[in-house]
Amino acid sequence: MKIHFYGLLHIADNDININFKPKTNDEKVKIYIKNSELLAKSLYEDNIDYTLLTNNKKELNRIHKSSILKIKEIDFKTSIIKGSHFYPCYYRIDVFNFLSKQKNQFSFLIDLDIVLIRSVITKIRKLANKKNVLVNDITNLILPAYGFKRINFEFSLLKRKKWKKKWYGADFLAGPDIFFKDLHKFIKPLYKKFQENFEELKNQGDELFMSSAIEEIIETKKFKIIDARSKKIIGRYWSVPRKHRQESFEEIFRNNMVHFLADKKFLAEYNIDNFSKNKFIYDFKKYNFSIIKKFKGTTSLLYNKFIKSNKLYY
């Protein structure tokens, strides 16, 4: 079965991102494009195809003309309420529709600030079929951030009878076209409920209604849901203060892919010429444990603890 990876970069002027503070919209978009280039470079080393999906290819090329990215412009029809948290991420609904039309293909939709650090192609070839779906179960990261009571309440607003205590990250999702067809079908009414309860839910991204839709798909028993995180395919690394207990650096870097949620600028500035996985691990470790990085982390921790504790990340 053909395997293809995709990323999403929807250009919008009023999106919110709490992980970094660009000076201009062009700077923000350029950082995302450069992140995507590093991701693509790491995937190409493993002979994996990658395409960046966007709503405006011409604008991407104006901001930063990439020599290595395959960029495809697709239609986006999802209506968005202004002021949404992580505004462009709701357009994943349109990407699910696009992926539902990629016949006889096992598609991966992953975030741009992910890097493949260990070969994964052999592992995913064994998993890629019409019955398997790969998810990123991050329940243990979410619960310390929001608490069971709040999450259960938010799920109830989407008309779930009872939350089944599973939260799936939108940074990594993979499956065949028939899965994405079902996901798009189940997610539309849930997103409508999300919009109806927007004032209560505006601080949530798309993971809430996506997780709820996956729960409904699980009930159909059509697919085998596989946690890619437990398979060491994907891991998350926060280099900033967070509310959950994070695994050790060494443990996280045993994954095939790592999501660097708070290091977009480092990834954007990384020299992808002569990229190698081992060199990237060495360079990131050197950066991450530098005196300057430690100082910034300590001051950020104190600031968040005593001034703005709600800014700790999950």
Side-chain angles (χ1 to χ4, degrees):
M1 197 172 194
K2 184 182 177 183
I3 293 169
H4 201 109
F5 277 64
Y6 296 90
L8 169 63
L9 179 46
H10 185 283
I11 298 177
D13 294 326
N14 58 335
D15 66 307
I16 304 167
N17 193 303
I18 61 173
N19 298 337
F20 74 109
K21 304 294 182 183
K23 295 178 181 178
T24 66
N25 192 62
D26 277 12
E27 180 189 2
K28 175 192 67 182
V29 173
K30 185 175 181 179
I31 287 172
Y32 284 137
I33 298 172
K34 297 284 285 183
N35 284 178
S36 191
E37 286 184 323
L38 176 57
L39 168 59
K41 187 77 171 180
S42 68
L43 291 171
Y44 295 161
E45 271 215 339
D46 222 22
N47 295 313
I48 295 173
D49 292 329
Y50 173 78
T51 300
L52 179 62
L53 304 175
T54 186
N55 62 318
N56 196 331
K57 183 176 179 179
K58 183 178 179 180
E59 184 68 359
L60 291 192
N61 288 331
R62 179 192 68 79
I63 294 170
H64 177 71
K65 180 72 173 177
S66 176
S67 60
I68 70 167
L69 282 178
K70 179 183 177 183
I71 302 173
K72 183 176 181 60
E73 188 172 307
I74 66 172
D75 292 330
F76 291 88
K77 298 178 180 178
T78 300
S79 62
I80 304 293
I81 301 174
K82 289 185 178 180
S84 298
H85 189 56
F86 290 109
Y87 172 94
C89 72
Y90 303 133
Y91 284 115
R92 283 197 182 98
I93 296 172
D94 298 285
V95 177
F96 298 153
N97 186 42
F98 168 80
L99 296 180
S100 73
K101 299 172 183 176
Q102 309 309 303
K103 304 301 181 184
N104 301 312
Q105 178 173 287
F106 200 83
S107 300
F108 287 75
L109 179 59
I110 65 174
D111 274 9
L112 308 183
D113 48 352
I114 290 175
V115 181
L116 178 68
I117 61 170
R118 301 187 188 281
S119 179
V120 75
I121 188 64
T122 301
K123 189 182 290 188
I124 61 177
R125 275 177 180 158
K126 293 178 181 178
L127 296 170
N129 62 52
K130 288 187 175 295
K131 289 294 183 181
N132 287 345
V133 172
L134 301 183
V135 298
N136 186 16
D137 184 348
I138 58 169
T139 311
N140 70 321
L141 308 183
I142 293 295
L143 278 172
Y146 297 108
F148 174 81
K149 186 176 180 181
R150 178 65 195 179
I151 297 174
N152 196 45
F153 168 70
E154 291 178 347
F155 267 80
S156 72
L157 295 178
L158 302 184
K159 298 300 181 182
R160 289 294 307 172
K161 294 179 181 178
K162 185 179 179 182
W163 181 45
K164 296 187 176 180
K165 298 182 182 179
K166 287 293 183 182
W167 187 286
Y168 302 107
D171 55 347
F172 180 100
L173 185 63
D177 55 290
I178 51 176
F179 162 72
F180 284 106
K181 183 178 180 179
D182 280 4
L183 181 61
H184 185 251
K185 178 182 70 175
F186 280 111
I187 217 168
K188 285 195 295 183
L190 293 168
Y191 181 63
K192 185 178 179 181
K193 288 292 182 183
F194 180 89
Q195 289 183 308
E196 290 172 0
N197 294 278
F198 178 73
E199 286 305 313
E200 283 284 356
L201 301 173
K202 63 183 178 182
N203 289 324
Q204 279 293 359
D206 57 327
E207 291 177 347
L208 177 65
F209 52 80
M210 190 191 82
S211 295
S212 188
I214 291 174
E215 281 190 0
E216 296 196 13
I217 289 173
I218 290 173
E219 291 174 1
T220 68
K221 299 181 179 180
K222 286 176 62 177
F223 303 98
K224 181 179 180 181
I225 307 299
I226 299 169
D227 179 24
R229 189 170 166 225
S230 64
K231 293 275 187 187
K232 307 298 287 185
I233 294 173
I234 181 71
R236 284 186 168 198
Y237 185 75
W238 283 106
S239 62
V240 295
R242 62 223 162 254
K243 291 184 178 180
H244 67 275
R245 186 184 68 82
Q246 182 163 259
E247 293 175 316
S248 69
F249 183 91
E250 290 73 20
E251 184 64 26
I252 292 173
F253 272 66
R254 290 192 181 101
N255 288 282
N256 300 102
M257 288 178 272
V258 176
H259 188 182
F260 299 95
L261 296 101
D263 297 291
K264 292 176 177 63
K265 287 189 175 181
F266 170 83
L267 302 180
E269 294 168 359
Y270 192 76
N271 185 359
I272 64 173
D273 295 337
N274 302 314
F275 171 88
S276 75
K277 297 176 180 64
N278 288 337
K279 185 178 185 303
F280 174 81
I281 294 172
Y282 172 83
D283 290 340
F284 184 83
K285 190 173 183 178
K286 184 178 178 182
Y287 148 80
N288 189 62
F289 293 106
S290 66
I291 295 174
I292 295 175
K293 182 68 174 175
K294 285 184 176 180
F295 175 76
K296 288 182 178 179
T298 301
T299 55
S300 178
L301 178 61
L302 293 172
Y303 176 77
N304 286 312
K305 184 175 182 180
F306 296 108
I307 301 175
K308 289 191 176 182
S309 61
N310 63 317
K311 290 297 183 182
L312 292 174
Y313 303 108
Y314 65 79

